[in-house]
Amino acid sequence: MTERIREFLRNRHEDGPCMVLDLEVVQDNYMKFARALPNTRVFYAVKANPAPEVLSLLAKLGSCFDAASVAEVQLVLAAGATAERISFGNTIKKERDILRALELGVRLFAVDCEAEVEKIARAAREAGIDKREVKVFCRILCDCAGAEWPLSRKFGCVPEMAVEVLEHAYRLGLEAYGVSFHVGSQQRNTGAWDVALASASRIFRECAERGIHLSMVNLGGGFPTKYLKSVPAVQSYGEAIFRGLTKHFGNRIPETIIEPGRGMVGNAGAIEAEVVLVSRKSKDEDEVRWVYLDIGKFGGLAETMDESIRYPIRTEHDRDRKAPCVLAGPTCDSADVLYEKEPYMLPVSLEIGDKVLIEGTGAYTTTYSAVAFNGFPPLKSYVI
Ligand SMILES: *Cc1c(COP(=O)(O)O)cnc(C)c1O
Protein backbone atom coordinates (compact mmCIF):
# COMPACT_ATOMS: atom_id res chain seq x y z
CA MET A 1 0.00 0.00 0.00
CA THR A 2 1.70 3.19 -1.15
CA GLU A 3 1.14 6.86 -0.39
CA ARG A 4 0.30 7.39 -4.09
CA ILE A 5 -2.54 4.85 -3.88
CA ARG A 6 -3.79 6.43 -0.65
CA GLU A 7 -3.76 9.86 -2.28
CA PHE A 8 -5.63 8.54 -5.33
CA LEU A 9 -8.31 6.97 -3.15
CA ARG A 10 -8.72 10.15 -1.08
CA ASN A 11 -9.74 11.93 -4.28
CA ARG A 12 -12.03 9.22 -5.60
CA HIS A 13 -15.70 9.65 -4.86
CA GLU A 14 -17.51 7.23 -7.17
CA ASP A 15 -19.35 4.20 -5.86
CA GLY A 16 -18.27 0.55 -6.06
CA PRO A 17 -15.07 -1.36 -5.39
CA CYS A 18 -11.94 -0.57 -7.39
CA MET A 19 -8.37 -1.77 -7.73
CA VAL A 20 -5.59 0.80 -7.87
CA LEU A 21 -2.17 -0.26 -9.12
CA ASP A 22 1.00 1.75 -8.56
CA LEU A 23 3.44 1.45 -11.49
CA GLU A 24 6.36 2.57 -9.33
CA VAL A 25 6.01 -0.67 -7.36
CA VAL A 26 5.97 -2.72 -10.57
CA GLN A 27 9.15 -0.99 -11.71
CA ASP A 28 10.79 -1.67 -8.34
CA ASN A 29 9.77 -5.35 -8.53
CA TYR A 30 11.19 -5.67 -12.05
CA MET A 31 14.51 -4.22 -10.88
CA LYS A 32 14.59 -6.63 -7.93
CA PHE A 33 14.09 -9.63 -10.23
CA ALA A 34 16.75 -8.36 -12.61
CA ARG A 35 19.19 -7.88 -9.72
CA ALA A 36 18.38 -11.18 -7.93
CA LEU A 37 18.77 -13.26 -11.12
CA PRO A 38 21.27 -11.28 -13.17
CA ASN A 39 21.82 -13.81 -15.96
CA THR A 40 18.17 -14.66 -16.39
CA ARG A 41 15.71 -13.10 -18.81
CA VAL A 42 12.40 -12.01 -17.27
CA PHE A 43 9.21 -13.06 -19.10
CA TYR A 44 6.34 -11.34 -17.28
CA ALA A 45 3.29 -13.65 -17.08
CA VAL A 46 0.73 -11.38 -18.73
CA LYS A 47 -2.29 -13.16 -17.26
CA ALA A 48 -1.48 -11.88 -13.76
CA ASN A 49 -2.44 -8.35 -14.84
CA PRO A 50 -2.67 -7.45 -18.52
CA ALA A 51 -3.28 -3.70 -18.03
CA PRO A 52 -1.73 -1.88 -21.04
CA GLU A 53 0.14 0.50 -18.73
CA VAL A 54 1.82 -2.43 -16.95
CA LEU A 55 2.81 -4.04 -20.25
CA SER A 56 4.22 -0.83 -21.73
CA LEU A 57 6.20 -0.05 -18.58
CA LEU A 58 7.71 -3.54 -18.59
CA ALA A 59 8.37 -3.38 -22.33
CA LYS A 60 10.27 -0.12 -21.76
CA LEU A 61 12.28 -1.69 -18.94
CA GLY A 62 13.39 -4.49 -21.28
CA SER A 63 11.16 -7.30 -20.03
CA CYS A 64 10.01 -10.20 -22.20
CA PHE A 65 6.52 -11.67 -21.89
CA ASP A 66 4.82 -15.01 -21.30
CA ALA A 67 1.50 -14.99 -23.17
CA ALA A 68 -1.32 -17.51 -22.68
CA SER A 69 -3.35 -16.70 -25.81
CA VAL A 70 -3.25 -14.83 -29.12
CA ALA A 71 -5.14 -11.97 -27.48
CA GLU A 72 -2.32 -11.63 -24.93
CA VAL A 73 0.29 -11.76 -27.72
CA GLN A 74 -1.54 -8.85 -29.37
CA LEU A 75 -1.68 -6.88 -26.10
CA VAL A 76 2.09 -7.25 -25.71
CA LEU A 77 2.74 -6.16 -29.31
CA ALA A 78 0.44 -3.18 -28.81
CA ALA A 79 2.46 -2.25 -25.70
CA GLY A 80 5.55 -1.86 -27.87
CA ALA A 81 7.44 -5.12 -27.37
CA THR A 82 8.58 -7.02 -30.45
CA ALA A 83 7.55 -10.63 -31.11
CA GLU A 84 11.03 -12.02 -30.28
CA ARG A 85 10.31 -11.03 -26.70
CA ILE A 86 7.19 -13.20 -26.47
CA SER A 87 6.83 -16.81 -25.39
CA PHE A 88 3.53 -18.59 -26.05
CA GLY A 89 3.62 -20.41 -22.72
CA ASN A 90 0.26 -22.17 -22.68
CA THR A 91 0.66 -25.88 -23.42
CA ILE A 92 -2.94 -26.04 -24.67
CA LYS A 93 -3.31 -24.13 -27.93
CA LYS A 94 -5.53 -24.44 -30.99
CA GLU A 95 -3.51 -25.06 -34.13
CA ARG A 96 -5.00 -21.95 -35.75
CA ASP A 97 -3.88 -19.87 -32.75
CA ILE A 98 -0.35 -21.24 -33.12
CA LEU A 99 -0.50 -20.25 -36.81
CA ARG A 100 -1.73 -16.77 -35.88
CA ALA A 101 1.05 -16.37 -33.30
CA LEU A 102 3.65 -17.50 -35.88
CA GLU A 103 2.29 -14.97 -38.35
CA LEU A 104 2.62 -12.30 -35.66
CA GLY A 105 6.30 -13.26 -35.30
CA VAL A 106 6.27 -15.45 -32.17
CA ARG A 107 8.91 -18.21 -32.34
CA LEU A 108 8.92 -19.67 -28.84
CA PHE A 109 6.31 -22.20 -27.71
CA ALA A 110 5.60 -24.43 -24.69
CA VAL A 111 4.51 -28.04 -25.18
CA ASP A 112 3.94 -31.02 -22.92
CA CYS A 113 3.08 -33.80 -25.38
CA GLU A 114 3.79 -34.98 -28.92
CA ALA A 115 0.37 -33.92 -30.28
CA GLU A 116 1.11 -30.30 -29.40
CA VAL A 117 4.55 -30.55 -31.07
CA GLU A 118 2.86 -31.80 -34.24
CA LYS A 119 0.44 -28.87 -34.24
CA ILE A 120 3.40 -26.47 -34.12
CA ALA A 121 5.28 -28.28 -36.90
CA ARG A 122 2.17 -28.25 -39.14
CA ALA A 123 1.42 -24.59 -38.40
CA ALA A 124 5.03 -23.62 -39.22
CA ARG A 125 4.81 -25.50 -42.51
CA GLU A 126 1.51 -23.79 -43.32
CA ALA A 127 2.93 -20.36 -42.49
CA GLY A 128 5.96 -21.07 -44.69
CA ILE A 129 8.33 -20.56 -41.78
CA ASP A 130 11.65 -22.39 -41.50
CA LYS A 131 11.01 -24.87 -38.69
CA ARG A 132 14.57 -24.55 -37.40
CA GLU A 133 13.63 -21.02 -36.33
CA VAL A 134 10.78 -22.26 -34.17
CA LYS A 135 11.82 -23.14 -30.64
CA VAL A 136 9.87 -25.45 -28.38
CA PHE A 137 10.42 -26.19 -24.71
CA CYS A 138 8.76 -29.04 -22.85
CA ARG A 139 7.02 -28.46 -19.54
CA ILE A 140 7.49 -31.08 -16.85
CA LEU A 141 5.23 -31.85 -13.90
CA CYS A 142 6.19 -30.44 -10.55
CA ASP A 143 4.72 -31.49 -7.21
CA CYS A 144 4.16 -27.85 -6.09
CA ALA A 145 4.67 -28.71 -2.38
CA GLY A 146 4.81 -25.50 -0.36
CA ALA A 147 2.77 -23.45 -2.82
CA GLU A 148 -0.38 -21.72 -1.58
CA TRP A 149 -1.90 -21.78 -5.06
CA PRO A 150 -0.69 -25.14 -6.49
CA LEU A 151 -1.08 -25.75 -10.19
CA SER A 152 -2.23 -29.39 -10.11
CA ARG A 153 -1.45 -31.85 -12.85
CA LYS A 154 -3.06 -29.88 -15.65
CA PHE A 155 0.25 -28.88 -17.27
CA GLY A 156 3.42 -30.83 -17.90
CA CYS A 157 4.50 -34.43 -18.40
CA VAL A 158 6.83 -36.72 -16.46
CA PRO A 159 10.55 -36.06 -17.14
CA GLU A 160 11.06 -39.37 -19.01
CA MET A 161 8.32 -38.38 -21.44
CA ALA A 162 9.81 -34.89 -21.90
CA VAL A 163 12.86 -36.52 -23.51
CA GLU A 164 10.56 -38.22 -26.05
CA VAL A 165 8.58 -35.04 -26.69
CA LEU A 166 11.75 -33.02 -27.30
CA GLU A 167 13.18 -35.73 -29.54
CA HIS A 168 9.92 -35.70 -31.52
CA ALA A 169 10.24 -31.93 -31.98
CA TYR A 170 13.85 -32.39 -33.14
CA ARG A 171 12.88 -35.10 -35.65
CA LEU A 172 10.16 -32.84 -37.06
CA GLY A 173 12.76 -30.15 -37.70
CA LEU A 174 11.88 -27.77 -34.87
CA GLU A 175 14.49 -26.51 -32.41
CA ALA A 176 14.29 -28.58 -29.22
CA TYR A 177 15.14 -25.64 -27.01
CA GLY A 178 14.74 -26.68 -23.41
CA VAL A 179 12.67 -27.55 -20.38
CA SER A 180 10.18 -25.61 -18.27
CA PHE A 181 8.40 -26.10 -14.98
CA HIS A 182 6.33 -24.13 -12.51
CA VAL A 183 6.86 -24.84 -8.83
CA GLY A 184 3.35 -23.63 -7.92
CA SER A 185 2.12 -20.09 -7.45
CA GLN A 186 2.78 -18.22 -4.17
CA GLN A 187 5.64 -20.62 -3.48
CA ARG A 188 7.03 -19.73 -0.05
CA ASN A 189 9.78 -22.36 -0.10
CA THR A 190 12.90 -21.12 -1.86
CA GLY A 191 14.13 -24.74 -2.04
CA ALA A 192 11.24 -25.76 -4.33
CA TRP A 193 13.30 -25.22 -7.51
CA ASP A 194 15.97 -27.75 -6.54
CA VAL A 195 14.06 -30.97 -7.35
CA ALA A 196 12.81 -29.58 -10.65
CA LEU A 197 16.32 -28.48 -11.61
CA ALA A 198 17.57 -32.01 -10.90
CA SER A 199 14.95 -33.37 -13.35
CA ALA A 200 15.80 -30.70 -15.90
CA SER A 201 19.49 -31.60 -15.82
CA ARG A 202 18.66 -35.30 -16.31
CA ILE A 203 16.59 -34.37 -19.37
CA PHE A 204 19.52 -32.31 -20.71
CA ARG A 205 21.83 -35.32 -20.29
CA GLU A 206 19.46 -37.82 -21.86
CA CYS A 207 18.76 -35.58 -24.81
CA ALA A 208 22.53 -35.04 -25.27
CA GLU A 209 22.98 -38.82 -25.43
CA ARG A 210 20.53 -38.78 -28.33
CA GLY A 211 22.47 -36.01 -30.05
CA ILE A 212 20.03 -33.25 -29.07
CA HIS A 213 21.59 -30.29 -27.34
CA LEU A 214 19.13 -28.30 -25.25
CA SER A 215 19.96 -24.72 -24.28
CA MET A 216 17.36 -23.30 -21.95
CA VAL A 217 15.68 -23.90 -18.60
CA ASN A 218 12.49 -21.94 -17.97
CA LEU A 219 12.22 -21.60 -14.19
CA GLY A 220 8.57 -20.48 -14.34
CA GLY A 221 6.79 -18.25 -11.85
CA GLY A 222 5.87 -18.92 -8.24
CA PHE A 223 7.60 -15.90 -6.67
CA PRO A 224 5.29 -14.76 -3.88
CA THR A 225 3.56 -11.56 -2.83
CA LYS A 226 3.33 -10.74 0.83
CA TYR A 227 -0.20 -11.40 2.08
CA LEU A 228 -0.80 -12.08 5.79
CA LYS A 229 2.20 -14.37 6.23
CA SER A 230 5.72 -13.16 5.59
CA VAL A 231 7.62 -14.35 2.52
CA PRO A 232 11.34 -14.55 1.70
CA ALA A 233 12.87 -11.72 -0.37
CA VAL A 234 13.42 -12.17 -4.11
CA GLN A 235 17.17 -12.16 -3.44
CA SER A 236 16.85 -15.43 -1.44
CA TYR A 237 15.03 -17.04 -4.37
CA GLY A 238 17.80 -15.90 -6.70
CA GLU A 239 20.45 -17.40 -4.43
CA ALA A 240 18.58 -20.72 -3.98
CA ILE A 241 18.04 -21.01 -7.74
CA PHE A 242 21.69 -20.25 -8.47
CA ARG A 243 22.76 -22.93 -5.96
CA GLY A 244 20.42 -25.43 -7.65
CA LEU A 245 21.75 -24.57 -11.11
CA THR A 246 25.37 -25.02 -10.03
CA LYS A 247 24.59 -28.22 -8.15
CA HIS A 248 22.80 -29.89 -11.05
CA PHE A 249 24.47 -28.36 -14.12
CA GLY A 250 27.99 -27.82 -12.76
CA ASN A 251 29.95 -25.40 -14.90
CA ARG A 252 27.60 -25.84 -17.87
CA ILE A 253 24.79 -23.62 -16.62
CA PRO A 254 22.12 -23.28 -19.32
CA GLU A 255 20.40 -20.12 -20.47
CA THR A 256 17.59 -19.41 -18.00
CA ILE A 257 14.34 -17.48 -17.96
CA ILE A 258 11.79 -16.73 -15.24
CA GLU A 259 8.09 -15.96 -15.65
CA PRO A 260 6.97 -13.99 -12.63
CA GLY A 261 3.31 -12.94 -12.52
CA ARG A 262 2.16 -12.52 -8.94
CA GLY A 263 5.64 -11.46 -7.77
CA MET A 264 5.74 -8.68 -10.37
CA VAL A 265 2.38 -7.01 -9.74
CA GLY A 266 0.73 -8.46 -6.61
CA ASN A 267 2.00 -5.93 -4.07
CA ALA A 268 1.53 -3.04 -6.52
CA GLY A 269 -2.25 -3.09 -6.17
CA ALA A 270 -4.86 -2.47 -3.51
CA ILE A 271 -8.64 -2.76 -3.67
CA GLU A 272 -10.91 -0.32 -1.91
CA ALA A 273 -14.23 -1.90 -0.96
CA GLU A 274 -17.13 -1.10 1.33
CA VAL A 275 -18.94 -2.92 4.13
CA VAL A 276 -22.52 -3.54 2.97
CA LEU A 277 -23.77 -5.39 6.05
CA VAL A 278 -22.62 -6.62 9.46
CA SER A 279 -24.99 -9.15 11.02
CA ARG A 280 -25.36 -12.22 13.23
CA LYS A 281 -27.34 -15.39 12.58
CA SER A 282 -28.89 -15.39 16.08
CA LYS A 283 -29.25 -13.13 19.12
CA ASP A 284 -26.39 -15.00 20.78
CA GLU A 285 -23.68 -12.37 21.33
CA ASP A 286 -20.96 -15.06 21.19
CA GLU A 287 -21.92 -16.00 17.72
CA VAL A 288 -19.50 -14.98 15.01
CA ARG A 289 -20.37 -11.86 13.01
CA TRP A 290 -20.90 -11.99 9.28
CA VAL A 291 -19.34 -9.12 7.38
CA TYR A 292 -20.53 -8.66 3.78
CA LEU A 293 -18.41 -6.54 1.42
CA ASP A 294 -19.33 -5.09 -1.97
CA ILE A 295 -16.66 -7.36 -3.50
CA GLY A 296 -16.42 -11.15 -3.36
CA LYS A 297 -15.33 -14.20 -5.32
CA PHE A 298 -17.08 -13.04 -8.50
CA GLY A 299 -15.92 -9.44 -8.22
CA GLY A 300 -12.21 -10.26 -8.45
CA LEU A 301 -11.32 -12.18 -5.28
CA ALA A 302 -11.48 -15.62 -6.95
CA GLU A 303 -8.21 -16.66 -5.33
CA THR A 304 -9.97 -16.90 -1.97
CA MET A 305 -11.26 -20.20 -3.39
CA ASP A 306 -10.64 -22.88 -0.71
CA GLU A 307 -9.42 -19.92 1.38
CA SER A 308 -6.04 -20.29 -0.37
CA ILE A 309 -4.98 -16.69 -0.54
CA ARG A 310 -5.57 -14.63 2.62
CA TYR A 311 -5.36 -10.95 1.79
CA PRO A 312 -4.39 -8.35 4.41
CA ILE A 313 -7.42 -6.13 5.04
CA ARG A 314 -7.05 -2.67 6.57
CA THR A 315 -9.84 -0.59 8.07
CA GLU A 316 -10.05 2.76 9.84
CA HIS A 317 -10.65 0.95 13.14
CA ASP A 318 -7.51 -1.18 13.19
CA ARG A 319 -6.44 0.12 16.61
CA ASP A 320 -9.66 -1.26 18.16
CA ARG A 321 -10.16 -4.75 19.55
CA LYS A 322 -10.56 -7.40 16.86
CA ALA A 323 -12.85 -10.43 16.79
CA PRO A 324 -13.29 -13.26 14.28
CA CYS A 325 -15.89 -12.92 11.56
CA VAL A 326 -17.03 -14.69 8.45
CA LEU A 327 -16.25 -12.53 5.45
CA ALA A 328 -18.50 -12.76 2.39
CA GLY A 329 -19.22 -11.08 -0.92
CA PRO A 330 -22.44 -9.37 -2.04
CA THR A 331 -23.90 -11.81 -4.59
CA CYS A 332 -26.83 -14.20 -4.11
CA ASP A 333 -24.58 -17.21 -4.50
CA SER A 334 -23.70 -19.28 -1.47
CA ALA A 335 -20.21 -19.94 -2.87
CA ASP A 336 -19.52 -16.23 -2.50
CA VAL A 337 -17.94 -16.55 0.96
CA LEU A 338 -14.30 -15.49 1.26
CA TYR A 339 -13.23 -16.75 4.70
CA GLU A 340 -15.32 -18.99 6.94
CA LYS A 341 -13.40 -22.19 7.78
CA GLU A 342 -10.75 -19.94 9.21
CA PRO A 343 -12.62 -16.78 10.26
CA TYR A 344 -10.98 -13.41 9.67
CA MET A 345 -10.08 -11.03 12.51
CA LEU A 346 -11.69 -7.63 12.02
CA PRO A 347 -12.31 -4.73 14.44
CA VAL A 348 -15.47 -5.05 16.55
CA SER A 349 -16.24 -1.42 15.74
CA LEU A 350 -16.47 -2.08 11.98
CA GLU A 351 -19.78 -0.73 10.65
CA ILE A 352 -22.01 -0.71 7.61
CA GLY A 353 -20.67 1.83 5.10
CA ASP A 354 -17.04 1.65 6.31
CA LYS A 355 -14.37 1.47 3.66
CA VAL A 356 -11.86 -1.39 3.74
CA LEU A 357 -8.56 -1.74 1.89
CA ILE A 358 -7.63 -5.15 0.58
CA GLU A 359 -3.88 -5.23 0.01
CA GLY A 360 -1.72 -7.29 -2.32
CA THR A 361 -4.42 -7.39 -4.97
CA GLY A 362 -2.47 -6.31 -8.06
CA ALA A 363 -2.33 -9.88 -9.45
CA TYR A 364 -5.14 -12.24 -10.45
CA THR A 365 -8.04 -9.93 -9.53
CA THR A 366 -9.36 -7.64 -12.29
CA THR A 367 -9.40 -10.28 -15.00
CA TYR A 368 -11.02 -12.86 -12.73
CA SER A 369 -14.03 -10.64 -12.08
CA ALA A 370 -17.30 -11.61 -13.74
CA VAL A 371 -18.88 -9.34 -16.35
CA ALA A 372 -22.36 -9.01 -14.87
CA PHE A 373 -23.01 -11.82 -12.43
CA ASN A 374 -26.01 -10.70 -10.33
CA GLY A 375 -25.87 -7.39 -12.19
CA PHE A 376 -22.60 -6.30 -10.57
CA PRO A 377 -20.20 -4.57 -12.99
CA PRO A 378 -16.65 -5.92 -13.46
CA LEU A 379 -14.04 -4.66 -11.00
CA LYS A 380 -12.90 -1.17 -11.95
CA SER A 381 -9.18 -0.65 -12.12
CA TYR A 382 -6.88 2.35 -12.23
CA VAL A 383 -3.19 2.34 -12.99
CA ILE A 384 -1.26 5.26 -11.56
C1 LIG B 1 0.58 -18.32 -14.52
C2 LIG B 1 1.91 -18.65 -15.05
C3 LIG B 1 3.04 -18.00 -14.54
C4 LIG B 1 3.00 -17.00 -13.42
O1 LIG B 1 2.96 -17.61 -12.19
P1 LIG B 1 3.09 -16.77 -10.83
O2 LIG B 1 3.00 -17.80 -9.78
O3 LIG B 1 1.98 -15.79 -10.82
O4 LIG B 1 4.41 -16.09 -10.85
C5 LIG B 1 4.25 -18.33 -15.10
N1 LIG B 1 4.36 -19.23 -16.10
C6 LIG B 1 3.29 -19.86 -16.61
C7 LIG B 1 3.48 -20.82 -17.73
C8 LIG B 1 2.04 -19.59 -16.09
O5 LIG B 1 0.99 -20.23 -16.60
Side-chain angles (χ1 to χ4, degrees), residues 45 47 66 89 139 182 184-186 220-223 259-263 364:
K47 71 174 191 288
D66 166 47
R139 179 150 168 186
H182 195 302
S185 202
Q186 187 67 9
F223 308 94
E259 300 175 326
R262 190 187 303 280
Y364 304 120

Side-chain angles (χ1 to χ4, degrees), residues 299-310:
L301 302 181
E303 288 202 315
T304 57
M305 200 188 294
D306 301 326
E307 309 195 11
S308 309
I309 300 292
R310 284 179 84 79

Side-chain angles (χ1 to χ4, degrees), residues 184-311:
S185 202
Q186 187 67 9
Q187 176 55 265
R188 292 168 62 231
N189 174 14
T190 58
W193 277 259
D194 187 70
V195 180
L197 283 170
S199 301
S201 77
R202 273 197 304 278
I203 296 168
F204 268 59
R205 275 197 301 278
E206 284 184 31
C207 279
E209 282 164 19
R210 299 179 189 199
I212 303 161
H213 298 283
L214 306 178
S215 336
M216 188 273 298
V217 175
N218 176 341
L219 303 156
F223 308 94
T225 282
K226 188 188 175 303
Y227 298 116
L228 282 179
K229 292 183 219 159
S230 65
V231 296
V234 176
Q235 191 59 34
S236 327
Y237 287 85
E239 285 158 15
I241 287 171
F242 185 70
R243 273 198 305 277
L245 281 166
T246 338
K247 175 169 151 201
H248 300 294
F249 288 89
N251 55 9
R252 307 181 66 174
I253 293 185
E255 183 190 325
T256 49
I257 71 180
I258 51 168
E259 300 175 326
R262 190 187 303 280
M264 188 73 85
V265 289
N267 66 337
I271 288 173
E272 183 180 66
E274 184 182 322
V275 177
V276 181
L277 182 67
V278 181
S279 66
R280 282 192 167 81
K281 304 288 172 194
S282 81
K283 287 266 154 87
D284 182 354
E285 283 291 319
D286 293 335
E287 193 169 335
V288 66
R289 287 169 306 160
W290 279 66
V291 173
Y292 301 88
L293 302 176
D294 62 354
I295 186 169
K297 277 209 170 73
F298 304 99
L301 302 181
E303 288 202 315
T304 57
M305 200 188 294
D306 301 326
E307 309 195 11
S308 309
I309 300 292
R310 284 179 84 79
Y311 295 107

Side-chain angles (χ1 to χ4, degrees), residues 29 67 85 126 144 148 183 193 197 205 220 276 342 344:
N29 289 339
R85 284 159 69 182
E126 195 178 334
C144 295
E148 294 187 352
V183 295
W193 277 259
L197 283 170
R205 275 197 301 278
V276 181
E342 199 182 325
Y344 201 98

